[in-house]
Amino acid sequence: MQKGLRHHTLHQTLIMLRLLLSIFLLAGTTLRAQTVTNSTHKLNFISNLPCTSVKDQYMSSTCWSFAGNSFFESELLKKGQTGIDISEMYTARMAWIQKIKLHLEKNGLNCLTPGGQFHNIQWVMKNYGLVPENKYDGKPLKEKNHNHSLLDTAITRYVKVMVKNHKKGATAADWKNINTILDRYLGKIPATFTVEGKAYTPVTYVAKYLQLNPDDYMEIMSFTHHPFYKPAVFENKYNYSFDKYMNVPFADFVAITDSALKNGYTVLWNGDVTDAAFDFTEGIAFLQGPFPDKVLSRQKAFADSSSYMDHMMHIVGLTIDEEGHKWYYIKNSWGSANELSGYMLMDENYFAIKTAAIVVNKKAIPVVIREKMKL
């Protein structure tokens, strides 16, 4: 098919995708493996998994916290725990502790950023727990939206002065000043709080109420410059802690994602949204092919930085259109003001070339692949 004709057909298909997806959503979040049709198009929704409502990170570099918490909330829904809303701002705040410590230890040579990765949430959970959103919303002045421009500037300036003064660690006075900044812009953190009539600390809230184990989850990448089925450091500024990701062949990378979605597990997505092919307003991420060798194309894209790891989202569904094209249904954290009420449809080409990493429950990884990972 000629490129122009392909684009025209795609445009018509995407309009119908949005229409049928709206019908699909009205049917409820537990609908699975059902077909929606009209006189022209047919979509087979293989999975549409339960998730919590779309939120808005607004002017804050906290997509990692929003996506990660949404991922955990779906894990809880899978276990039958409803009504859970985890505070993104608590996670983002407590992650600053690790960021500052590492930045000082490394003499300011790693990236000091409000951004982060899933392993930063795991670190917060293990060391400082989690808090419900209604106990800590990060809006001490009852602001309508999150705007961290002043917070990020204040923290960065303070820490950079410490680096300039050759400090290898923060003193008690430094931490007092840093917490004063965080309290001013995010509010004081609760030492204890009540949920359903019982008192919890952030740590016991994770262990006893949510019953989440951060070690049940794995970050996975697929790049040819690292050995397969072994952990390796992902080279990206947002991996400021130099954590390791499990590296797998691309075929396994896709198989893990699709198998998880087909078996009731959602997937955390990490990748590039700066490409013009990512259109949040329309709710579409579509990359024009063909890509005869997707492995070579994705490797080249990340090597030359035409693809980058700069955003995290939450994959909650999988669908195939009547032409056999696969689409991932994704929850974003940029509010609900787009054609899909805050969600995205990402085609398999965009996923292949622009996805840097995924996160899944280890139980969602097919057994044959788990064995190769020696899990």
Side-chain angles (χ1 to χ4, degrees):
M1 183 180 292
Q2 295 179 6
K3 185 175 181 180
L5 292 177
R6 168 69 177 141
H7 179 76
H8 178 69
T9 302
L10 173 69
H11 180 69
Q12 290 180 325
T13 301
L14 294 185
I15 292 173
M16 193 56 61
L17 276 167
R18 288 196 294 265
L19 173 61
L20 295 181
L21 188 58
S22 297
I23 296 171
F24 175 54
L25 290 173
L26 290 173
T29 58
T30 58
L31 182 63
R32 295 190 61 197
Q34 296 194 23
T35 299
V36 181
T37 63
N38 76 347
S39 59
T40 308
H41 292 270
K42 180 173 70 175
L43 289 177
N44 182 29
F45 291 91
I46 297 172
S47 67
N48 180 32
L49 302 171
C51 63
T52 51
S53 62
V54 171
K55 298 178 178 65
D56 191 354
Q57 69 185 78
Y58 201 63
M59 299 294 289
S60 70
S61 299
T62 54
C63 62
W64 55 279
S65 184
F66 277 85
N69 284 5
S70 177
F71 174 75
F72 279 130
E73 288 161 2
S74 283
E75 285 286 293
L76 294 167
L77 287 171
K78 182 176 174 61
K79 296 194 301 179
Q81 291 177 258
T82 60
I84 306 296
D85 187 0
I86 303 169
S87 169
E88 292 83 13
M89 292 305 118
Y90 177 82
T91 307
R93 175 186 174 134
M94 303 315 291
W96 273 115
I97 297 173
Q98 183 191 36
K99 294 174 184 182
I100 293 168
K101 286 181 177 179
L102 289 174
H103 196 65
L104 294 174
E105 289 172 5
K106 298 183 181 300
N107 301 310
L109 296 179
N110 70 336
C111 183
L112 181 65
T113 170
Q117 298 296 307
F118 179 76
H119 52 257
N120 304 128
I121 303 176
Q122 292 174 301
W123 182 88
V124 170
M125 291 174 69
K126 292 177 181 180
N127 291 277
Y128 297 100
L130 298 172
V131 168
E133 174 71 14
N134 62 6
K135 307 300 180 183
Y136 192 80
D137 63 6
K139 299 175 182 177
L141 301 179
K142 306 302 178 185
E143 300 92 333
K144 180 179 179 182
N145 297 306
H146 298 291
N147 187 335
H148 289 186
S149 56
L150 296 177
L151 166 63
D152 296 344
T153 300
I155 289 288
T156 301
R157 285 179 176 173
Y158 190 93
V159 177
K160 290 301 181 185
V161 170
M162 295 171 70
V163 172
K164 186 177 180 180
N165 291 333
H166 307 291
K167 286 193 173 184
K168 297 293 185 179
T171 65
D174 287 323
W175 284 121
K176 182 178 179 181
N177 292 335
I178 290 165
N179 279 310
T180 296
I181 295 171
L182 292 168
D183 287 348
R184 176 182 178 184
Y185 292 106
L186 296 177
K188 292 182 180 293
I189 56 176
T192 61
F193 48 86
T194 302
V195 178
E196 296 178 359
K198 293 184 179 180
Y200 295 93
T201 66
V203 171
T204 59
Y205 179 64
V206 171
K208 296 183 179 180
Y209 186 80
L210 300 180
Q211 297 183 27
L212 285 171
N213 181 358
D215 291 328
D216 286 343
Y217 306 90
M218 176 177 282
E219 294 171 301
I220 302 171
M221 63 182 181
S222 178
F223 293 105
T224 57
H225 64 289
H226 289 300
F228 291 136
Y229 306 115
K230 293 182 179 180
V233 174
F234 191 102
E235 306 92 340
N236 182 272
K237 71 175 185 179
Y238 294 115
N239 186 16
Y240 57 82
S241 54
F242 303 101
D243 277 51
K244 293 182 178 181
Y245 293 56
M246 179 63 72
N247 193 47
V248 300
F250 179 67
D252 285 357
F253 190 74
V254 175
I256 292 168
T257 303
D258 292 359
S259 177
L261 294 168
K262 291 175 183 178
N263 288 284
Y265 292 92
T266 64
V267 178
L268 200 55
W269 181 92
N270 200 338
D272 179 22
V273 299
T274 61
D275 196 288
F278 187 95
D279 188 340
F280 176 69
T281 301
E282 292 296 315
I284 298 297
F286 170 81
L287 202 58
Q288 184 76 48
F291 296 96
D293 188 335
K294 290 181 179 178
V295 173
L296 180 63
S297 295
R298 71 178 269 109
Q299 187 71 28
K300 180 179 181 299
F302 280 93
D304 65 17
S305 296
S306 57
S307 280
Y308 200 63
M309 185 165 70
D310 55 27
H311 191 48
M312 294 185 72
M313 302 187 293
H314 184 196
I315 307 177
V316 297
L318 180 65
T319 182
I320 297 177
D321 65 31
E322 65 174 355
E323 294 181 356
H325 302 129
K326 183 166 58 178
W327 297 83
Y328 295 94
Y329 181 49
I330 302 179
K331 176 186 172 185
N332 202 354
S333 57
W334 294 351
S336 57
N338 79 341
E339 290 291 335
L340 292 181
S341 301
Y343 290 82
M344 300 286 300
L345 284 166
M346 179 182 291
D347 87 301
E348 54 192 316
N349 280 342
Y350 197 101
F351 179 88
I353 310 303
K354 297 294 183 178
T355 304
I358 57 171
V359 179
V360 295
N361 189 314
K362 292 175 183 177
K363 294 178 181 177
I365 302 171
V367 174
V368 65
I369 300 176
R370 285 208 305 266
E371 292 174 348
K372 294 176 183 178
M373 294 175 175
K374 296 183 168 41
L375 293 183

